[in-house]
Amino acid sequence: MEKRTIDPWVWGEKTNSAQAVEVKNVSGTLYCSGQVAIDANGIPSSDDMRSQLVQTIQNLETLISTSGYEAKNIVRLNVYTTSVQEFFTTCMDVYVPFILKHGIQQATTLLEVKGLFATLTIELEATVVK
């Protein structure tokens, strides 16, 4: 698999994402449903957004590795949150290290939504290639 990120603007270097990602010679593509802070028994978390993001990332990493893929090959990562402001003020110290830990260079969309399932406040939706 060959991967190339495209970001024609200097400001893009500060966004923890790329404006576009091109992949060639892909042997597989994994389209992940949105992952949230639901435990192994299917119970949604009622913790704060930061704690939910920790569990959401763990769930996403488990799904990707169980599927035989690697988080470093995430090419699209959409973030759905009930508060963009809260995401930026309380979650960046969890989100950015996740991106850096795996060396992810992804196209990203960040959306504030009116609500998510039950008491959930954050959801990550990924596309992964190999």
Side-chain angles (χ1 to χ4, degrees):
M1 184 264 305
E2 299 172 44
K3 181 171 149 182
R4 176 176 75 111
T5 59
I6 300 104
D7 200 339
W9 303 283
V10 175
W11 59 262
E13 296 171 6
K14 300 175 185 164
T15 64
N16 297 310
S17 63
Q19 294 302 305
V21 178
E22 177 185 44
V23 290
K24 296 179 181 180
N25 303 317
V26 174
S27 64
T29 304
L30 181 68
Y31 299 94
C32 300
S33 293
Q35 296 301 296
V36 293
I38 292 182
D39 69 17
N41 298 312
I43 307 297
S45 173
S46 59
D47 290 339
D48 60 65
M49 184 182 293
R50 187 179 186 285
S51 299
Q52 285 191 25
L53 180 57
V54 169
Q55 179 66 54
T56 298
I57 288 170
Q58 289 171 353
N59 289 350
L60 181 60
E61 289 173 328
T62 298
L63 176 62
I64 291 170
S65 64
T66 301
S67 300
Y69 286 73
E70 296 179 70
K72 71 178 185 178
N73 291 329
I74 292 173
V75 293
R76 179 110 181 130
L77 183 63
N78 294 330
V79 180
Y80 303 92
T81 179
T82 55
S83 172
V84 168
Q85 180 179 355
E86 186 176 354
F87 176 76
F88 278 114
T89 58
T90 67
C91 294
M92 294 308 283
D93 67 325
V94 173
Y95 181 76
V96 173
F98 161 67
I99 299 296
L100 296 175
K101 169 184 162 186
H102 295 289
I104 301 169
Q105 295 179 306
Q106 80 294 350
T108 296
T109 298
L110 171 65
L111 294 169
E112 182 171 301
V113 295
K114 183 177 179 181
L116 294 168
F117 175 70
T119 54
L120 299 169
T121 59
I122 190 109
E123 183 169 334
L124 299 178
E125 177 187 57
T127 304
V128 192
V129 296
K130 68 175 167 181

